[in-house]
Amino acid sequence: MIFDRNPSPTFSVSKSDTSAISLSLAELISHPSSSTIPETQQNNELIFTGLAAYLQTYSFPTLLRKNPTIDFSIAIALNTEFLDYSITIQNRRRKCDEDCKAVAAVTSNEENDKRNHWNKIFTSILKKITVDDLGNMDAEELWNSIPEGKQLIHGGRGRQDLLNHEKQLHVKVVFDGRSKHVLLVGTKPKLDKKCITIRNILSHYHWRLSGKDVSIR
């Protein structure tokens, strides 16, 4: 649940795979059609973190089912004072030598066509997603304070309930250890109207830590 924001890249691109495409999250969400444009530099990393976690949880598996010969991943690099996120798209390494030779022969026009193709797909996905920053909630400590099912008493809600509601609503709760913030990520209608139980669970356990209520937005 705690999204790893280690600046080391999470995926290394094979030098022999010239078809690998890297799309910057910053550029994708700054597209004119995007509704998720950071207002300040301070918000950038949190928005990127939330979007990256959502993509890994929901979008990549869906795209992989439709494109079984392609791998999708998030790469993270330290860029001056902030973390720079990018989407990496490449053919699976297990493909045969003949396919690799064909990949090497890709022309610049074909590469641009592929880049434009995936750019449109991810821009379309990201423009529907909203990142709701619930603030500094001591994310790691909060996550550790939410009990597993066997630790619950008097029918209370715990981690499994949180995970079940995430899956049911197709939203993502991100406990970010770097900023200590908790993020709620998904489509705006669901965040506004469907996440009451998730907010109540977070509010209950955070109230035990600090007394701050995030259930009413």
Side-chain angles (χ1 to χ4, degrees), residues 21-68:
I21 296 172
S22 180
L23 302 176
S24 167
L25 273 183
E27 294 180 4
L28 288 171
I29 68 172
S30 63
H31 190 277
S33 65
S34 175
S35 61
T36 315
I37 301 177
E39 296 179 0
T40 66
Q41 178 64 41
Q42 184 178 6
N43 295 335
N44 279 356
E45 281 195 27
L46 293 174
I47 289 178
F48 298 157
T49 297
L51 294 176
Y54 186 92
L55 289 172
Q56 288 183 318
T57 303
Y58 298 113
S59 304
F60 288 173
T62 299
L63 289 170
L64 185 58
R65 286 193 294 271
K66 297 178 180 178
N67 304 273

Coordinates of all heavy atoms in Angstrom, one line a residue, residues 21-68:
I21 N 9.6 3.1 -25.5 CA 9.1 4.4 -25.5 C 9.0 4.9 -24.1 O 8.5 4.2 -23.2 CB 7.7 4.5 -26.2 CG1 7.9 4.1 -27.7 CG2 7.1 5.8 -26.1 CD1 6.5 3.9 -28.4
S22 N 9.4 6.1 -23.8 CA 9.3 6.7 -22.5 C 8.4 8.0 -22.6 O 8.7 8.9 -23.4 CB 10.6 7.0 -21.9 OG 10.5 7.6 -20.7
L23 N 7.3 8.0 -21.8 CA 6.4 9.1 -21.8 C 6.4 9.8 -20.4 O 6.2 9.2 -19.4 CB 5.0 8.7 -22.1 CG 4.8 8.0 -23.5 CD1 3.3 7.5 -23.6 CD2 5.1 8.9 -24.6
S24 N 6.7 11.1 -20.4 CA 6.8 11.8 -19.1 C 5.4 12.1 -18.6 O 4.6 12.6 -19.3 CB 7.6 13.1 -19.3 OG 7.4 14.0 -18.2
L25 N 5.2 11.8 -17.3 CA 3.9 12.1 -16.7 C 3.6 13.6 -16.7 O 2.5 14.0 -16.9 CB 3.8 11.5 -15.3 CG 3.3 10.1 -15.1 CD1 3.3 9.7 -13.6 CD2 2.0 9.9 -15.8
A26 N 4.7 14.3 -16.5 CA 4.6 15.8 -16.4 C 4.0 16.3 -17.8 O 3.2 17.2 -17.8 CB 5.9 16.4 -16.1
E27 N 4.5 15.8 -18.9 CA 4.1 16.2 -20.2 C 2.7 15.8 -20.5 O 1.9 16.5 -21.1 CB 5.1 15.7 -21.2 CG 6.5 16.4 -21.2 CD 7.4 15.9 -22.2 OE1 6.9 15.1 -23.1 OE2 8.6 16.2 -22.2
L28 N 2.4 14.5 -20.1 CA 1.0 14.0 -20.3 C -0.1 14.8 -19.6 O -1.1 15.1 -20.2 CB 1.0 12.5 -19.9 CG 1.7 11.5 -20.8 CD1 1.8 10.2 -20.1 CD2 1.1 11.4 -22.2
I29 N 0.2 15.1 -18.4 CA -0.9 15.8 -17.6 C -0.9 17.3 -17.9 O -1.8 18.0 -17.5 CB -0.8 15.6 -16.1 CG1 0.4 16.3 -15.5 CG2 -0.9 14.1 -15.8 CD1 0.4 16.2 -14.0
S30 N 0.1 17.8 -18.6 CA 0.1 19.3 -19.0 C -0.5 19.4 -20.4 O -0.6 20.5 -20.9 CB 1.5 19.8 -19.0 OG 2.3 19.2 -20.0
H31 N -1.0 18.3 -21.0 CA -1.6 18.4 -22.3 C -2.9 19.2 -22.1 O -3.6 19.1 -21.1 CB -2.0 16.9 -22.7 CG -2.4 16.9 -24.1 ND1 -3.7 17.1 -24.5 CD2 -1.8 16.6 -25.3 CE1 -3.8 17.0 -25.8 NE2 -2.7 16.6 -26.3
P32 N -3.3 20.0 -23.1 CA -4.4 20.8 -23.1 C -5.7 20.1 -22.7 O -6.6 20.7 -22.1 CB -4.5 21.4 -24.5 CG -3.1 21.4 -25.0 CD -2.5 20.2 -24.4
S33 N -5.8 18.8 -23.1 CA -7.0 18.0 -22.8 C -7.0 17.5 -21.4 O -8.0 16.9 -21.0 CB -7.2 16.9 -23.8 OG -6.2 16.0 -23.7
S34 N -5.9 17.6 -20.7 CA -5.9 17.0 -19.3 C -6.6 17.9 -18.3 O -6.5 19.1 -18.3 CB -4.4 16.8 -18.9 OG -4.3 16.3 -17.6
S35 N -7.2 17.2 -17.3 CA -7.9 18.0 -16.3 C -7.1 17.9 -15.0 O -7.5 18.4 -13.9 CB -9.3 17.4 -16.0 OG -9.2 16.0 -15.6
T36 N -5.9 17.3 -15.0 CA -5.1 17.1 -13.8 C -3.8 17.9 -14.0 O -2.7 17.3 -14.1 CB -4.8 15.6 -13.6 OG1 -6.0 14.8 -13.8 CG2 -4.2 15.3 -12.2
I37 N -3.9 19.2 -13.9 CA -2.7 20.0 -14.1 C -2.3 20.6 -12.7 O -3.1 21.2 -12.0 CB -2.9 21.2 -15.1 CG1 -3.3 20.6 -16.4 CG2 -1.7 22.1 -15.2 CD1 -3.7 21.7 -17.4
P38 N -1.1 20.3 -12.2 CA -0.7 20.8 -10.9 C -0.7 22.3 -10.8 O -0.3 23.0 -11.8 CB 0.8 20.3 -10.8 CG 0.9 19.1 -11.8 CD -0.1 19.5 -12.9
E39 N -1.2 22.8 -9.7 CA -1.3 24.3 -9.6 C 0.1 24.8 -9.1 O 0.4 26.0 -9.5 CB -2.3 24.6 -8.5 CG -3.7 24.3 -9.0 CD -4.8 24.6 -7.9 OE1 -4.4 25.1 -6.9 OE2 -6.0 24.4 -8.1
T40 N 0.8 24.1 -8.4 CA 2.1 24.5 -7.9 C 3.1 23.4 -8.0 O 2.8 22.2 -8.1 CB 2.0 25.0 -6.4 OG1 1.8 23.9 -5.6 CG2 1.0 26.1 -6.3
Q41 N 4.4 23.8 -8.0 CA 5.5 22.7 -8.0 C 5.4 21.8 -6.8 O 5.7 20.6 -6.9 CB 6.8 23.4 -8.0 CG 8.0 22.5 -8.0 CD 8.1 21.7 -9.3 OE1 7.9 22.2 -10.3 NE2 8.4 20.4 -9.1
Q42 N 4.9 22.3 -5.7 CA 4.8 21.5 -4.5 C 3.8 20.4 -4.7 O 4.0 19.3 -4.1 CB 4.3 22.4 -3.3 CG 4.2 21.7 -2.0 CD 3.8 22.7 -0.9 OE1 3.4 23.8 -1.1 NE2 3.8 22.2 0.3
N43 N 2.8 20.6 -5.5 CA 1.8 19.5 -5.8 C 2.3 18.5 -6.8 O 1.7 17.4 -6.9 CB 0.5 20.2 -6.2 CG -0.2 21.0 -5.2 OD1 0.1 20.8 -4.0 ND2 -0.9 22.0 -5.6
N44 N 3.3 18.8 -7.5 CA 3.7 17.9 -8.7 C 4.0 16.5 -8.2 O 3.4 15.6 -8.8 CB 5.0 18.5 -9.3 CG 4.7 19.6 -10.3 OD1 3.5 19.9 -10.5 ND2 5.7 20.2 -10.9
E45 N 4.9 16.3 -7.3 CA 5.2 15.0 -6.9 C 4.1 14.2 -6.4 O 3.9 13.0 -6.6 CB 6.4 15.0 -5.8 CG 7.7 15.3 -6.4 CD 8.8 15.0 -5.4 OE1 8.6 14.1 -4.5 OE2 9.9 15.6 -5.5
L46 N 3.2 14.8 -5.6 CA 2.1 14.1 -5.0 C 1.1 13.6 -6.1 O 0.6 12.5 -6.1 CB 1.3 15.0 -4.0 CG 2.1 15.3 -2.7 CD1 1.3 16.3 -1.9 CD2 2.4 14.0 -1.9
I47 N 0.9 14.5 -7.1 CA 0.0 14.2 -8.2 C 0.6 13.0 -9.0 O 0.0 12.1 -9.4 CB -0.3 15.4 -9.1 CG1 -1.2 16.4 -8.3 CG2 -0.9 15.0 -10.4 CD1 -1.5 17.6 -9.1
F48 N 1.9 13.2 -9.3 CA 2.6 12.1 -10.1 C 2.6 10.8 -9.3 O 2.4 9.7 -9.9 CB 4.1 12.5 -10.4 CG 4.2 13.7 -11.2 CD1 5.4 14.5 -11.2 CD2 3.2 14.2 -12.0 CE1 5.5 15.6 -11.9 CE2 3.3 15.3 -12.8 CZ 4.5 16.1 -12.8
T49 N 2.8 10.8 -8.0 CA 2.8 9.6 -7.2 C 1.4 8.9 -7.3 O 1.3 7.7 -7.5 CB 3.1 9.9 -5.8 OG1 4.4 10.5 -5.7 CG2 3.0 8.7 -4.9
G50 N 0.4 9.7 -7.1 CA -1.0 9.2 -7.2 C -1.3 8.6 -8.5 O -1.9 7.5 -8.6
L51 N -1.0 9.3 -9.6 CA -1.3 8.8 -10.9 C -0.5 7.6 -11.2 O -1.0 6.6 -11.8 CB -0.9 9.9 -12.0 CG -1.8 11.2 -11.9 CD1 -1.3 12.2 -12.9 CD2 -3.3 10.9 -12.2
A52 N 0.8 7.5 -10.8 CA 1.6 6.4 -11.1 C 1.1 5.1 -10.4 O 1.0 4.0 -11.0 CB 3.1 6.6 -10.7
A53 N 0.7 5.3 -9.1 CA 0.1 4.2 -8.4 C -1.2 3.7 -9.0 O -1.4 2.5 -9.1 CB -0.2 4.6 -6.9
Y54 N -2.0 4.6 -9.5 CA -3.3 4.2 -10.1 C -3.0 3.5 -11.4 O -3.6 2.4 -11.7 CB -4.1 5.5 -10.4 CG -5.5 5.1 -11.0 CD1 -6.6 5.0 -10.1 CD2 -5.7 5.0 -12.3 CE1 -7.9 4.7 -10.6 CE2 -7.0 4.7 -12.8 CZ -8.0 4.5 -12.0 OH -9.3 4.2 -12.5
L55 N -2.1 4.0 -12.2 CA -1.7 3.3 -13.5 C -1.2 1.9 -13.3 O -1.6 0.9 -13.9 CB -0.6 4.1 -14.2 CG -1.1 5.4 -14.8 CD1 0.2 6.2 -15.4 CD2 -2.1 5.2 -16.0
Q56 N -0.4 1.7 -12.3 CA 0.2 0.4 -12.0 C -0.9 -0.6 -11.5 O -0.9 -1.8 -11.8 CB 1.3 0.5 -10.9 CG 2.6 1.1 -11.5 CD 3.7 1.1 -10.4 OE1 3.4 1.4 -9.3 NE2 4.9 0.8 -10.8
T57 N -1.8 -0.1 -10.7 CA -2.9 -0.9 -10.2 C -4.0 -1.3 -11.2 O -4.4 -2.4 -11.2 CB -3.5 -0.2 -8.9 OG1 -2.5 0.1 -8.0 CG2 -4.5 -1.1 -8.3
Y58 N -4.4 -0.3 -11.9 CA -5.6 -0.6 -12.8 C -5.3 -0.5 -14.3 O -5.7 -1.4 -15.1 CB -6.7 0.5 -12.4 CG -7.2 0.3 -11.0 CD1 -7.0 1.3 -10.1 CD2 -7.9 -0.8 -10.6 CE1 -7.4 1.2 -8.8 CE2 -8.4 -0.9 -9.3 CZ -8.1 0.1 -8.4 OH -8.6 -0.1 -7.1
S59 N -4.6 0.5 -14.7 CA -4.5 0.8 -16.2 C -3.5 -0.2 -16.9 O -3.8 -0.8 -17.9 CB -4.0 2.2 -16.4 OG -4.9 3.1 -15.9
F60 N -2.4 -0.4 -16.2 CA -1.4 -1.4 -16.9 C -1.9 -2.8 -17.0 O -1.8 -3.4 -18.1 CB -0.1 -1.4 -16.1 CG 0.7 -0.1 -16.2 CD1 1.9 0.0 -15.4 CD2 0.4 0.9 -17.1 CE1 2.6 1.2 -15.5 CE2 1.1 2.1 -17.2 CZ 2.3 2.2 -16.4
P61 N -2.6 -3.4 -16.0 CA -3.1 -4.7 -16.2 C -4.1 -4.8 -17.3 O -4.2 -5.8 -18.1 CB -3.8 -5.0 -14.9 CG -3.0 -4.2 -13.9 CD -2.7 -2.9 -14.6
T62 N -5.0 -3.7 -17.5 CA -6.0 -3.7 -18.5 C -5.3 -3.6 -19.9 O -5.7 -4.3 -20.8 CB -6.9 -2.5 -18.4 OG1 -7.6 -2.6 -17.1 CG2 -8.0 -2.5 -19.5
L63 N -4.3 -2.7 -20.0 CA -3.6 -2.6 -21.3 C -2.8 -3.8 -21.6 O -2.7 -4.2 -22.8 CB -2.7 -1.4 -21.2 CG -3.3 0.0 -21.2 CD1 -2.3 1.1 -20.8 CD2 -4.0 0.3 -22.5
L64 N -2.3 -4.5 -20.6 CA -1.5 -5.7 -20.9 C -2.4 -6.9 -21.4 O -2.0 -7.6 -22.3 CB -0.8 -6.2 -19.6 CG 0.1 -7.4 -19.7 CD1 1.2 -7.1 -20.7 CD2 0.7 -7.7 -18.3
R65 N -3.6 -6.9 -20.9 CA -4.6 -7.9 -21.4 C -4.9 -7.7 -22.9 O -5.0 -8.6 -23.7 CB -5.9 -8.0 -20.6 CG -5.7 -8.6 -19.2 CD -7.1 -8.9 -18.6 NE -7.8 -7.7 -18.3 CZ -7.7 -7.0 -17.2 NH1 -6.9 -7.4 -16.2 NH2 -8.4 -5.9 -17.0
K66 N -4.9 -6.4 -23.3 CA -5.2 -6.1 -24.7 C -4.0 -6.1 -25.6 O -4.1 -6.2 -26.8 CB -5.8 -4.7 -24.7 CG -7.2 -4.6 -24.0 CD -7.7 -3.1 -24.1 CE -9.0 -3.0 -23.4 NZ -9.6 -1.6 -23.4
N67 N -2.8 -6.0 -24.9 CA -1.5 -6.0 -25.7 C -0.5 -6.9 -25.0 O 0.4 -6.5 -24.3 CB -0.9 -4.5 -25.7 CG -1.9 -3.5 -26.2 OD1 -1.9 -3.3 -27.4 ND2 -2.7 -2.9 -25.4
P68 N -0.7 -8.2 -25.1 CA 0.1 -9.2 -24.4 C 1.5 -9.3 -24.7 O 2.3 -9.9 -23.9 CB -0.6 -10.5 -24.7 CG -1.3 -10.3 -26.0 CD -1.8 -8.9 -26.0

